[in-house]
Amino acid sequence: FTTNDAYAYSNPIMQAITSTTGHVLPWRPSVGGAPLDTGIEVYQRDQVPAPTNGDSSPTGITIMYTPFADSAVDILVNGVGVSEGNGTLTSDVYFSNDGGVTAKTIANIEAGDELYWNGDIAGFDLTADDKIDIVYNRSALD
């Protein structure tokens, strides 16, 4: 950039403001901010489970997206909400990525984790006639 020796400013903006001769500062396009990440509600509707037998039974249903910012994950069986384990194996359902041995906390559920059913705890096993809905938020950037 050029300087005006009559003014000892090192900042070209200050020099342009205080100079008697108008200076045109170089144009610089805005780089903009980072994209704003927001949650978008996801409905994985009418998922058909594999038939289950007792506790820790795999359903064959996986979550499609990693839930946004540790948001809630709601599980409905035939339209009725069920109790989801938050790191525990002793609720109606839980998510796992190691064959059902350990239950994930809600905050650590990731895309691809499988839903497990506890038929003894819930009071019934699932069949191919049942429908499972998973409702949660995913990142807008996914």
Side-chain angles (χ1 to χ4, degrees), residues 9 11 20 25 32 43 47 56 60 67 72 91 96 107 110 121:
Y9 297 110
N11 183 329
T20 55
L25 297 176
Y43 293 94
Q47 305 288 300
S56 301
S91 292
S96 179
E110 297 176 314
I121 293 170

Side-chain angles (χ1 to χ4, degrees), residues 85-115:
N86 186 12
T88 66
L89 300 170
T90 57
S91 292
D92 298 339
V93 296
Y94 64 92
F95 282 94
S96 179
N97 67 350
D98 63 2
V101 175
T102 57
K104 286 200 154 184
T105 62
I106 304 297
N108 290 324
I109 294 172
E110 297 176 314
D113 289 346
E114 186 171 2
L115 184 67

